[in-house]
Structures are given as structure tokens and as C-alpha cells.
Amino acid sequence: MRSAHISRRQAEAQFAGMDADYDDVFAVQAHVAQHADAVELAELAEVHALLDELDAELEAAEQAALIRVPRFTDPQRAGRSRRRSERSALRSLPVRLDISEVTSTGEAA
């Protein structure tokens, strides 16, 4: 089998009118590149906005931690907090025994 072969003159004759079409192709390629750049810039802006939001949340969490940590690490505050929780637990218990019953059984025994 032989492949089709054309001369240089025949090829130039075939593609003589395509120079104007190449300009259109290059214009389309430039437009597509500009559009791709615009989309990429929009995506980058969105990513930067998300990163800024994350940084703000982390900063707020860090500030909250700076306030909370000393309250739990300070021994005086920790003792007060423990006593308060114990008192509230005792207050929440229902009163089952009458004080007179406790004292009378204590004296009898």
C-alpha cells in the first residue's frame, strides 16, 4: 500500500486561504486563556477568603483558650470551683432524713 503523496505546490494551494482562519484560532485561544486565568483568580480569591475565615476562627479559639486555661490551672480557683460543684451537688440531693432522727439515733447508739 502506498500512502497518498501531494506536492508542495498542491499543499500550498490547499492551505492558501487558511491564514485568516489562523487569526481566528489564535483569538479564540487567547480568549480561552483569559477566561481560564479569570476562573483561576476567582478560585484563588475564594481559597484566600476561606483561609482568612479559618485564621479568624483559630485566633478566636486561641483567645478563648488564653482566658480559660488560667481558670483551671490556678489552684485557688480550682479549689473554689470544686467546692462550688460539691455544694451544688449536695443541694440537689433530696432531704431524706430529719435532723432530729439523726441526732436521736446518734445519742442512743
Side-chain angles (χ1 to χ4, degrees):
M1 290 188 106
R2 294 189 77 190
S3 60
H5 180 68
I6 61 172
S7 69
R8 182 174 182 210
R9 288 183 188 156
Q10 289 173 334
E12 287 175 354
Q14 288 288 326
F15 296 107
M18 293 190 68
D19 288 339
D21 292 337
Y22 284 136
D23 291 338
D24 292 340
V25 170
F26 293 134
V28 169
Q29 287 177 342
H31 178 71
V32 168
Q34 288 175 348
H35 180 68
D37 289 342
V39 169
E40 185 177 331
L41 288 174
E43 290 174 353
L44 282 175
E46 187 175 325
V47 167
H48 283 294
L50 287 173
L51 287 174
D52 290 340
E53 183 179 336
L54 179 63
D55 286 341
E57 288 178 10
L58 288 175
E59 182 69 27
E62 183 180 350
Q63 291 297 324
L66 287 174
I67 292 170
R68 289 182 188 151
V69 169
R71 291 186 180 176
F72 294 111
T73 57
D74 182 20
Q76 192 175 31
R77 287 186 180 181
R80 288 177 187 164
S81 176
R82 189 186 71 246
R83 284 192 300 273
R84 285 185 194 122
S85 64
E86 289 171 356
R87 275 188 250 136
S88 66
L90 288 174
R91 287 182 192 136
S92 66
L93 293 175
V95 179
R96 295 183 182 173
L97 301 173
D98 188 14
I99 293 180
S100 61
E101 291 177 7
V102 174
T103 56
S104 65
T105 49
E107 291 174 1

XYZ file of all heavy atoms in Angstrom:
841
model
N 0.848 -1.166 0.000
C 0.000 0.000 0.000
C 0.888 1.222 0.000
O 1.846 1.317 0.747
C -0.875 0.045 1.237
C -1.934 -0.990 1.268
S -2.978 -0.619 2.643
C -4.363 0.018 1.834
N 0.471 2.142 -0.785
C 1.198 3.398 -0.858
C 0.364 4.487 -0.219
O -0.841 4.521 -0.377
C 1.489 3.752 -2.303
C 2.432 2.762 -2.946
C 2.866 3.218 -4.261
N 3.886 4.265 -4.031
C 4.370 5.042 -4.966
N 3.956 4.921 -6.184
N 5.276 5.933 -4.691
N 1.036 5.363 0.508
C 0.310 6.476 1.099
C 0.130 7.564 0.053
O 0.893 7.663 -0.907
C 1.066 7.020 2.308
O 2.336 7.477 1.907
N -0.863 8.376 0.283
C -1.136 9.465 -0.652
C -0.043 10.505 -0.504
O 0.382 10.844 0.604
C -2.497 10.071 -0.379
N 0.417 11.028 -1.623
C 1.502 11.996 -1.600
C 1.095 13.177 -2.471
O 0.630 13.005 -3.584
C 2.774 11.346 -2.157
C 3.941 12.263 -2.183
N 4.538 12.718 -1.034
C 4.624 12.812 -3.213
C 5.537 13.515 -1.359
N 5.610 13.578 -2.690
N 1.249 14.378 -1.895
C 0.957 15.568 -2.690
C 2.211 16.427 -2.717
O 3.056 16.365 -1.827
C -0.238 16.372 -2.141
C 0.034 16.864 -0.712
C -1.494 15.540 -2.166
C -1.024 17.815 -0.217
N 2.279 17.217 -3.766
C 3.459 18.066 -3.908
C 3.318 19.307 -3.021
O 2.258 19.605 -2.489
C 3.641 18.481 -5.377
O 2.598 19.366 -5.734
N 4.431 19.994 -2.883
C 4.432 21.209 -2.075
C 3.485 22.247 -2.653
O 2.774 22.930 -1.914
C 5.850 21.749 -1.994
C 5.953 22.974 -1.128
C 7.375 23.372 -0.982
N 7.426 24.531 -0.108
C 8.327 25.467 -0.157
N 9.303 25.393 -1.029
N 8.302 26.470 0.666
N 3.460 22.383 -3.926
C 2.564 23.356 -4.583
C 1.102 23.018 -4.326
O 0.287 23.897 -4.081
C 2.842 23.413 -6.078
C 4.111 24.074 -6.402
C 4.295 24.174 -7.884
N 5.644 24.672 -8.153
C 6.294 24.467 -9.256
N 5.733 23.785 -10.228
N 7.487 24.951 -9.416
N 0.791 21.752 -4.376
C -0.592 21.351 -4.108
C -0.963 21.648 -2.649
O -2.078 22.101 -2.366
C -0.775 19.864 -4.401
C -0.730 19.509 -5.878
C -0.745 18.014 -6.094
O -0.316 17.246 -5.219
N -1.230 17.588 -7.264
N -0.037 21.421 -1.740
C -0.307 21.684 -0.323
C -0.488 23.173 -0.084
O -1.391 23.596 0.643
C 0.833 21.141 0.529
N 0.383 23.989 -0.689
C 0.246 25.442 -0.532
C -1.061 25.928 -1.116
O -1.706 26.821 -0.569
C 1.429 26.152 -1.176
C 2.709 26.011 -0.394
C 3.893 26.633 -1.110
O 3.745 27.081 -2.267
O 4.971 26.678 -0.499
N -1.474 25.342 -2.207
C -2.734 25.731 -2.823
C -3.915 25.360 -1.916
O -4.890 26.097 -1.819
C -2.880 25.071 -4.193
N -3.817 24.211 -1.274
C -4.894 23.775 -0.391
C -5.038 24.684 0.837
O -6.132 24.977 1.278
C -4.634 22.337 0.077
C -4.824 21.295 -0.992
C -6.294 21.099 -1.331
O -7.154 21.206 -0.481
N -6.573 20.812 -2.594
N -3.891 25.121 1.390
C -3.912 25.867 2.644
C -3.702 27.370 2.469
O -3.468 28.080 3.432
C -2.846 25.324 3.596
C -3.113 23.898 4.007
C -2.329 22.869 3.505
C -4.139 23.595 4.871
C -2.565 21.565 3.875
C -4.371 22.291 5.240
C -3.592 21.261 4.746
N -3.822 27.865 1.248
C -3.572 29.278 0.976
C -4.571 30.182 1.692
O -4.221 31.232 2.209
C -3.601 29.546 -0.518
N -5.804 29.805 1.797
C -6.826 30.655 2.400
C -6.966 30.494 3.901
O -7.828 31.113 4.523
N -6.115 29.712 4.502
C -6.284 29.433 5.933
C -5.571 30.431 6.834
O -5.730 30.355 8.044
C -5.804 28.028 6.253
C -6.695 26.974 5.615
S -6.348 25.320 6.197
C -6.870 25.410 7.865
N -4.805 31.362 6.304
C -4.118 32.326 7.155
C -5.108 33.156 7.966
O -4.877 33.433 9.145
C -3.226 33.258 6.325
C -2.004 32.526 5.797
O -1.669 31.479 6.387
O -1.406 33.001 4.821
N -6.214 33.533 7.366
C -7.226 34.308 8.081
C -7.861 33.469 9.182
O -8.183 33.968 10.263
C -8.295 34.804 7.117
N -8.026 32.179 8.949
C -8.597 31.292 9.953
C -7.655 31.131 11.146
O -8.094 30.980 12.280
C -8.905 29.920 9.351
C -10.042 29.984 8.332
O -10.832 30.948 8.426
O -10.135 29.086 7.484
N -6.353 31.159 10.898
C -5.397 31.055 11.995
C -5.540 32.228 12.955
O -5.425 32.071 14.155
C -3.960 30.996 11.479
C -3.570 29.663 10.894
C -2.868 29.594 9.705
C -3.894 28.476 11.535
C -2.503 28.379 9.173
C -3.533 27.260 10.998
C -2.831 27.212 9.815
O -2.472 26.017 9.293
N -5.812 33.410 12.421
C -6.008 34.558 13.292
C -7.204 34.345 14.211
O -7.160 34.695 15.385
C -6.200 35.834 12.454
C -4.919 36.249 11.741
O -3.832 35.837 12.202
O -5.013 36.964 10.728
N -8.265 33.762 13.679
C -9.435 33.460 14.500
C -9.106 32.424 15.574
O -9.552 32.537 16.711
C -10.584 32.944 13.625
C -11.154 34.023 12.709
O -10.941 35.212 13.017
O -11.805 33.667 11.718
N -8.326 31.425 15.204
C -7.946 30.393 16.156
C -7.122 30.997 17.286
O -7.334 30.707 18.468
C -7.165 29.259 15.454
C -6.559 28.302 16.475
C -8.076 28.500 14.508
N -6.173 31.864 16.928
C -5.356 32.498 17.958
C -6.190 33.406 18.864
O -5.948 33.474 20.071
C -4.204 33.290 17.330
C -3.187 32.412 16.656
C -2.704 32.733 15.396
C -2.721 31.261 17.273
C -1.761 31.932 14.788
C -1.780 30.457 16.655
C -1.302 30.785 15.399
N -7.175 34.080 18.288
C -8.055 34.931 19.095
C -8.865 34.088 20.078
O -9.032 34.452 21.250
C -8.983 35.741 18.200
N -9.361 32.942 19.608
C -10.119 32.043 20.477
C -9.215 31.496 21.583
O -9.613 31.438 22.752
C -10.765 30.900 19.657
C -11.320 29.818 20.566
C -11.856 31.452 18.758
N -7.994 31.109 21.214
C -7.058 30.602 22.216
C -6.742 31.669 23.270
O -6.666 31.374 24.460
C -5.769 30.117 21.554
C -5.933 28.816 20.813
C -4.654 28.407 20.098
O -3.766 29.221 19.872
N -4.583 27.131 19.737
N -6.563 32.905 22.834
C -6.289 33.988 23.779
C -7.486 34.217 24.701
O -7.322 34.423 25.911
C -5.946 35.264 23.028
N -8.699 34.170 24.131
C -9.905 34.353 24.931
C -10.046 33.230 25.958
O -10.389 33.472 27.130
C -11.134 34.411 24.021
C -12.422 34.552 24.776
N -12.781 35.703 25.427
C -13.428 33.656 25.010
C -13.943 35.535 26.013
N -14.360 34.293 25.783
N -9.788 31.997 25.538
C -9.881 30.860 26.452
C -8.839 30.993 27.558
O -9.123 30.718 28.737
C -9.708 29.533 25.674
C -9.509 28.362 26.619
C -10.913 29.293 24.788
N -7.644 31.426 27.214
C -6.599 31.615 28.228
C -6.996 32.701 29.219
O -6.788 32.548 30.433
C -5.278 31.962 27.558
N -7.576 33.797 28.739
C -8.024 34.857 29.634
C -9.129 34.356 30.557
O -9.156 34.666 31.754
C -8.517 36.063 28.836
C -7.424 36.856 28.172
C -7.983 37.966 27.288
O -9.177 37.995 27.009
N -7.109 38.865 26.858
N -10.057 33.597 29.987
C -11.151 33.049 30.790
C -10.605 32.097 31.847
O -11.049 32.120 33.005
C -12.164 32.330 29.893
C -13.319 31.746 30.647
N -14.267 32.517 31.263
C -13.650 30.455 30.911
C -15.148 31.741 31.862
N -14.788 30.475 31.660
N -9.645 31.253 31.469
C -9.047 30.322 32.434
C -8.330 31.094 33.537
O -8.410 30.725 34.709
C -8.088 29.383 31.721
N -7.643 32.175 33.186
C -6.974 32.988 34.196
C -7.983 33.628 35.146
O -7.762 33.683 36.353
C -6.118 34.078 33.535
C -4.880 33.507 32.851
O -4.505 32.367 33.173
O -4.313 34.217 32.003
N -9.097 34.106 34.593
C -10.127 34.729 35.422
C -10.737 33.709 36.388
O -10.963 34.006 37.567
C -11.211 35.346 34.548
N -10.994 32.498 35.889
C -11.549 31.446 36.743
C -10.546 31.082 37.830
O -10.906 30.916 39.002
C -11.929 30.204 35.901
C -12.239 29.011 36.789
C -13.107 30.524 35.005
N -9.276 30.980 37.461
C -8.239 30.647 38.437
C -8.118 31.739 39.499
O -7.999 31.446 40.689
C -6.903 30.461 37.729
C -5.786 30.009 38.635
C -4.493 29.770 37.879
O -4.551 29.429 36.688
O -3.439 29.934 38.503
N -8.197 32.986 39.083
C -8.132 34.082 40.044
C -9.339 34.074 40.984
O -9.204 34.342 42.182
C -8.028 35.422 39.318
C -6.685 35.708 38.649
C -6.759 37.001 37.849
C -5.584 35.782 39.676
N -10.511 33.765 40.448
C -11.705 33.690 41.289
C -11.576 32.555 42.309
O -11.944 32.715 43.475
C -12.943 33.488 40.424
N -11.067 31.412 41.853
C -10.875 30.296 42.769
C -9.843 30.640 43.841
O -10.013 30.302 45.011
C -10.447 29.046 42.007
C -11.549 28.446 41.152
C -11.075 27.290 40.295
O -9.844 27.026 40.256
O -11.918 26.655 39.670
N -8.779 31.307 43.442
C -7.763 31.719 44.413
C -8.334 32.697 45.430
O -8.029 32.617 46.626
C -6.557 32.337 43.701
C -5.588 31.356 43.048
C -4.512 32.108 42.277
C -4.963 30.453 44.081
N -9.169 33.617 44.966
C -9.794 34.573 45.884
C -10.696 33.844 46.878
O -10.727 34.174 48.067
C -10.578 35.612 45.099
N -11.416 32.838 46.392
C -12.291 32.064 47.267
C -11.471 31.285 48.300
O -11.828 31.232 49.480
C -13.116 31.100 46.419
C -14.183 30.353 47.183
C -15.039 29.503 46.270
O -15.295 29.911 45.131
O -15.451 28.421 46.738
N -10.362 30.711 47.860
C -9.494 29.970 48.779
C -8.908 30.908 49.829
O -8.861 30.580 51.017
C -8.382 29.239 47.995
C -7.301 28.722 48.920
C -8.967 28.094 47.188
N -8.486 32.099 49.400
C -7.942 33.070 50.352
C -9.005 33.511 51.360
O -8.696 33.685 52.547
C -7.359 34.286 49.619
C -6.029 34.021 48.997
N -4.899 33.752 49.728
C -5.655 33.969 47.698
C -3.879 33.554 48.924
N -4.313 33.674 47.679
N -10.231 33.668 50.902
C -11.309 34.046 51.822
C -11.543 32.950 52.861
O -11.734 33.237 54.051
C -12.590 34.325 51.042
N -11.527 31.688 52.416
C -11.702 30.578 53.353
C -10.543 30.506 54.352
O -10.750 30.266 55.540
C -11.808 29.261 52.594
C -13.109 29.021 51.833
C -13.019 27.760 51.001
C -14.270 28.926 52.791
N -9.329 30.745 53.868
C -8.173 30.739 54.768
C -8.251 31.883 55.772
O -7.903 31.707 56.945
C -6.877 30.819 53.967
C -6.480 29.549 53.216
C -5.254 29.797 52.351
C -6.238 28.411 54.175
N -8.708 33.047 55.330
C -8.860 34.173 56.259
C -9.905 33.864 57.327
O -9.727 34.186 58.506
C -9.237 35.451 55.504
C -8.094 35.984 54.655
O -6.923 35.610 54.933
O -8.370 36.768 53.730
N -10.992 33.226 56.911
C -12.045 32.847 57.865
C -11.513 31.827 58.876
O -11.771 31.929 60.075
C -13.233 32.265 57.107
C -14.403 31.901 57.973
C -15.567 31.351 57.159
O -15.662 31.647 55.964
O -16.359 30.600 57.754
N -10.742 30.860 58.382
C -10.151 29.864 59.269
C -9.172 30.509 60.241
O -9.166 30.182 61.433
C -9.442 28.790 58.448
C -8.743 27.688 59.226
C -9.735 26.875 60.041
C -7.963 26.800 58.301
N -8.363 31.437 59.757
C -7.429 32.137 60.636
C -8.163 32.909 61.727
O -7.733 32.926 62.887
C -6.548 33.099 59.829
C -5.487 32.374 59.020
O -5.186 31.208 59.348
O -4.963 32.981 58.071
N -9.277 33.541 61.364
C -10.056 34.292 62.357
C -10.637 33.351 63.413
O -10.630 33.660 64.611
C -11.170 35.071 61.665
N -11.129 32.180 62.984
C -11.674 31.218 63.936
C -10.584 30.684 64.861
O -10.800 30.524 66.070
C -12.336 30.055 63.195
C -13.641 30.415 62.522
C -14.244 29.258 61.760
O -13.759 28.105 61.903
O -15.196 29.484 61.017
N -9.417 30.405 64.300
C -8.310 29.916 65.129
C -7.853 30.981 66.126
O -7.529 30.665 67.274
C -7.145 29.471 64.248
C -7.364 28.178 63.460
C -6.190 27.927 62.531
C -7.574 27.009 64.387
N -7.830 32.221 65.694
C -7.453 33.314 66.591
C -8.456 33.444 67.733
O -8.070 33.631 68.897
C -7.363 34.628 65.813
C -6.946 35.809 66.640
C -5.500 35.740 67.093
O -4.689 35.110 66.408
O -5.198 36.318 68.159
N -9.749 33.321 67.411
C -10.779 33.399 68.451
C -10.655 32.225 69.424
O -10.790 32.409 70.638
C -12.167 33.402 67.806
N -10.369 31.046 68.901
C -10.196 29.884 69.779
C -8.969 30.053 70.666
O -8.986 29.670 71.848
C -10.068 28.616 68.945
N -7.918 30.631 70.109
C -6.712 30.862 70.901
C -6.976 31.869 72.021
O -6.535 31.674 73.163
C -5.596 31.376 69.998
C -4.282 31.591 70.703
C -3.198 32.104 69.764
O -3.414 32.104 68.540
O -2.154 32.508 70.282
N -7.716 32.919 71.717
C -8.047 33.909 72.749
C -8.906 33.287 73.849
O -8.706 33.558 75.028
C -8.774 35.108 72.121
C -7.896 35.963 71.232
C -6.764 36.601 72.019
O -6.904 36.978 73.163
N -5.615 36.698 71.373
N -9.862 32.458 73.441
C -10.707 31.795 74.436
C -9.881 30.861 75.308
O -10.096 30.774 76.522
C -11.820 31.019 73.734
N -8.916 30.179 74.710
C -8.062 29.274 75.483
C -7.197 30.054 76.464
O -6.962 29.602 77.586
C -7.198 28.452 74.546
N -6.734 31.216 76.050
C -5.914 32.023 76.953
C -6.707 32.478 78.175
O -6.151 32.653 79.251
C -5.356 33.241 76.214
C -4.238 32.964 75.219
C -3.880 34.232 74.455
C -3.026 32.395 75.920
N -8.000 32.651 78.011
C -8.851 33.068 79.129
C -9.209 31.866 79.999
O -9.200 31.945 81.220
C -10.122 33.763 78.603
C -9.726 35.093 77.953
C -11.131 33.968 79.710
C -10.837 35.752 77.186
N -9.487 30.720 79.369
C -9.957 29.553 80.111
C -8.846 28.834 80.871
O -9.066 28.348 81.973
C -10.610 28.564 79.150
C -11.927 29.035 78.621
C -12.533 27.995 77.726
N -13.706 28.534 77.085
C -14.150 28.159 75.908
N -13.507 27.248 75.242
N -15.229 28.697 75.396
N -7.684 28.728 80.291
C -6.624 27.918 80.889
C -6.244 28.386 82.290
O -6.156 27.562 83.206
C -5.400 27.851 79.946
C -4.195 27.266 80.638
C -5.746 27.031 78.725
N -6.017 29.661 82.534
C -5.647 30.048 83.901
C -6.720 29.722 84.935
O -6.402 29.467 86.095
C -5.442 31.557 83.806
C -5.149 31.826 82.384
C -5.902 30.785 81.623
N -7.965 29.692 84.524
C -9.029 29.382 85.484
C -8.939 27.946 85.972
O -9.326 27.637 87.083
C -10.395 29.625 84.850
C -10.652 31.084 84.605
C -12.045 31.312 84.128
N -12.239 32.737 83.905
C -13.323 33.251 83.409
N -14.321 32.479 83.072
N -13.424 34.550 83.236
N -8.452 27.059 85.132
C -8.364 25.658 85.518
C -7.004 25.300 86.110
O -6.890 24.332 86.843
C -8.666 24.754 84.324
C -10.077 24.885 83.852
C -10.364 25.467 82.629
C -11.122 24.432 84.624
C -11.663 25.594 82.204
C -12.431 24.559 84.197
C -12.701 25.138 82.989
N -5.992 26.074 85.795
C -4.663 25.749 86.310
C -4.354 26.460 87.620
O -3.471 26.040 88.346
C -3.579 26.105 85.277
O -3.683 27.486 84.942
C -3.730 25.262 84.029
N -5.065 27.523 87.920
C -4.842 28.247 89.174
C -5.390 27.396 90.325
O -6.573 27.066 90.355
C -5.550 29.598 89.112
C -5.323 30.436 90.343
O -4.349 30.167 91.063
O -6.114 31.371 90.582
N -4.550 27.000 91.288
C -5.038 26.095 92.346
C -6.140 26.696 93.202
O -7.069 26.000 93.617
C -3.798 25.811 93.191
C -2.677 26.562 92.608
C -3.153 27.290 91.411
N -6.050 27.985 93.445
C -7.083 28.616 94.270
C -8.422 28.574 93.556
O -9.452 28.208 94.147
C -6.670 30.056 94.560
C -7.506 30.718 95.622
C -6.966 32.109 95.935
O -6.419 32.770 95.068
N -7.132 32.536 97.183
N -8.425 28.912 92.286
C -9.686 28.874 91.531
C -10.200 27.450 91.378
O -11.396 27.196 91.391
C -9.487 29.501 90.155
C -9.361 30.987 90.207
C -9.309 31.552 88.826
N -9.182 32.998 88.878
C -9.129 33.775 87.826
N -9.182 33.259 86.634
N -9.022 35.068 87.957
N -9.272 26.503 91.179
C -9.688 25.113 91.033
C -10.355 24.623 92.314
O -11.378 23.916 92.267
C -8.491 24.236 90.680
N -9.791 24.998 93.487
C -10.403 24.593 94.760
C -11.773 25.201 94.938
O -12.713 24.532 95.387
N -11.888 26.479 94.604
C -13.201 27.129 94.710
C -14.216 26.458 93.801
O -15.366 26.228 94.182
C -13.078 28.605 94.350
C -12.381 29.428 95.385
C -12.242 30.845 94.912
N -11.431 31.635 95.828
C -10.907 32.799 95.527
N -11.096 33.324 94.325
N -10.184 33.455 96.405
N -13.791 26.173 92.606
C -14.692 25.538 91.649
C -15.125 24.168 92.149
O -16.297 23.792 92.045
C -13.995 25.411 90.294
O -14.802 24.728 89.388
N -14.197 23.406 92.720
C -14.531 22.090 93.259
C -15.527 22.216 94.404
O -16.513 21.478 94.474
C -13.258 21.381 93.721
C -13.493 19.925 94.098
C -12.272 19.253 94.683
N -12.017 19.793 96.027
C -10.956 20.504 96.366
N -10.028 20.786 95.480
N -10.813 20.954 97.604
N -15.287 23.158 95.302
C -16.206 23.342 96.435
C -17.597 23.759 95.961
O -18.606 23.284 96.482
C -15.641 24.382 97.405
C -14.519 23.854 98.267
C -14.187 24.805 99.402
N -13.773 26.127 98.956
C -12.519 26.470 98.643
N -11.563 25.564 98.723
N -12.217 27.693 98.275
N -17.648 24.638 94.986
C -18.955 25.057 94.455
C -19.707 23.875 93.854
O -20.913 23.728 94.043
C -18.763 26.149 93.405
C -18.422 27.483 93.975
C -18.372 28.536 92.884
N -17.734 29.731 93.391
C -16.653 30.292 92.875
N -16.094 29.789 91.804
N -16.137 31.375 93.416
N -18.994 23.055 93.108
C -19.656 21.908 92.490
C -20.123 20.915 93.555
O -21.200 20.326 93.436
C -18.746 21.227 91.483
O -17.611 20.699 92.120
N -19.318 20.738 94.613
C -19.740 19.848 95.698
C -20.970 20.387 96.408
O -21.898 19.639 96.727
C -18.596 19.654 96.691
C -17.458 18.821 96.151
C -16.245 18.817 97.064
O -16.261 19.527 98.102
O -15.286 18.102 96.744
N -20.980 21.701 96.660
C -22.144 22.300 97.329
C -23.394 22.177 96.465
O -24.476 21.852 96.976
C -21.873 23.774 97.638
C -21.144 23.950 98.944
C -21.076 25.415 99.311
N -19.680 25.806 99.151
C -19.234 26.904 98.574
N -20.074 27.785 98.110
N -17.957 27.152 98.481
N -23.252 22.413 95.192
C -24.441 22.308 94.327
C -24.918 20.866 94.254
O -26.118 20.601 94.180
C -24.148 22.869 92.935
O -23.187 22.073 92.281
N -23.978 19.913 94.297
C -24.384 18.501 94.295
C -25.125 18.156 95.584
O -26.137 17.446 95.567
C -23.170 17.603 94.120
N -24.635 18.670 96.705
C -25.315 18.399 97.979
C -26.683 19.061 98.030
O -27.632 18.501 98.575
C -24.454 18.888 99.149
C -23.199 18.052 99.434
C -22.360 18.704 100.513
C -23.600 16.640 99.841
N -26.780 20.249 97.460
C -28.086 20.936 97.451
C -29.102 20.206 96.585
O -30.303 20.284 96.817
C -27.926 22.368 96.962
C -27.275 23.262 97.959
C -27.195 24.674 97.442
N -26.317 25.459 98.282
C -25.400 26.300 97.845
N -25.254 26.494 96.553
N -24.640 26.958 98.670
N -28.614 19.540 95.574
C -29.550 18.876 94.669
C -30.075 17.566 95.234
O -31.057 17.027 94.746
C -28.874 18.619 93.316
O -27.826 17.679 93.468
N -29.407 17.029 96.262
C -29.891 15.787 96.872
C -31.199 16.048 97.617
O -31.351 17.058 98.293
C -28.861 15.239 97.865
C -27.553 14.736 97.270
C -26.601 14.344 98.388
C -27.817 13.551 96.367
N -32.136 15.152 97.527
C -33.378 15.334 98.283
C -33.128 15.104 99.775
O -32.266 14.333 100.174
C -34.311 14.262 97.719
C -33.413 13.245 97.123
C -32.157 13.968 96.699
N -33.864 15.800 100.569
C -33.728 15.670 102.023
C -34.516 14.434 102.437
O -35.738 14.409 102.355
C -34.252 16.921 102.748
C -34.113 16.750 104.255
C -33.521 18.144 102.253
N -33.799 13.397 102.885
C -34.447 12.133 103.223
C -34.551 11.924 104.736
O -35.416 11.234 105.219
C -33.669 10.968 102.617
C -33.696 10.978 101.125
C -32.980 9.794 100.570
N -32.989 9.856 99.114
C -32.341 9.035 98.348
N -31.626 8.079 98.876
N -32.399 9.158 97.052
N -33.610 12.496 105.421
C -33.602 12.260 106.862
C -33.940 13.534 107.599
O -33.512 14.613 107.227
C -32.210 11.775 107.302
C -31.707 10.488 106.646
C -30.264 10.236 107.047
C -32.581 9.323 107.074
N -34.670 13.379 108.632
C -34.961 14.501 109.514
C -33.782 14.637 110.462
O -33.230 13.645 110.961
C -36.255 14.232 110.282
C -36.705 15.443 111.064
O -36.161 16.540 110.789
O -37.578 15.293 111.932
N -33.382 15.838 110.756
C -32.217 16.074 111.606
C -32.451 15.501 113.004
O -31.540 14.949 113.635
C -31.878 17.580 111.659
C -31.414 18.022 110.300
C -30.846 17.863 112.716
C -31.053 19.467 110.188
N -33.670 15.562 113.485
C -33.950 15.028 114.824
C -33.742 13.507 114.862
O -33.297 12.970 115.860
C -35.362 15.386 115.268
O -36.286 14.827 114.369
N -34.040 12.824 113.758
C -33.825 11.383 113.720
C -32.349 11.055 113.727
O -31.919 10.109 114.399
C -34.461 10.780 112.454
C -35.950 10.798 112.437
C -36.512 10.251 111.125
O -35.723 9.741 110.309
O -37.729 10.345 110.917
N -31.580 11.861 113.055
C -30.133 11.610 113.004
C -29.523 11.831 114.378
O -28.715 11.033 114.861
C -29.460 12.520 111.951
C -27.947 12.382 111.996
C -29.970 12.187 110.566
N -29.923 12.913 115.044
C -29.340 13.193 116.354
C -29.803 12.205 117.419
O -29.050 11.829 118.289
C -29.673 14.615 116.782
O -31.071 14.812 116.774
C -28.993 15.629 115.883
N -31.052 11.746 117.344
C -31.560 10.821 118.374
C -30.907 9.465 118.214
O -30.577 8.821 119.207
C -33.069 10.714 118.284
O -33.446 10.133 117.070
N -30.696 8.993 116.983
C -30.032 7.698 116.809
C -28.570 7.802 117.169
O -27.990 6.863 117.694
C -30.175 7.169 115.367
O -29.826 8.192 114.461
C -31.548 6.655 115.106
N -27.994 8.956 116.947
C -26.596 9.148 117.298
C -26.414 9.138 118.812
O -25.420 8.631 119.328
N -27.385 9.686 119.565
C -27.263 9.715 121.019
C -27.569 8.351 121.628
O -26.988 7.973 122.611
C -28.230 10.753 121.592
C -27.828 12.167 121.261
C -28.871 13.178 121.712
O -29.895 12.773 122.305
O -28.671 14.354 121.471
N -28.496 7.633 121.002
C -28.862 6.328 121.544
C -27.760 5.312 121.334
O -27.607 4.416 122.128
C -30.157 5.849 120.891
N -27.057 5.459 120.280
C -26.016 4.478 119.982
C -24.797 4.728 120.772
O -24.354 4.645 121.730
C -25.603 4.543 118.526
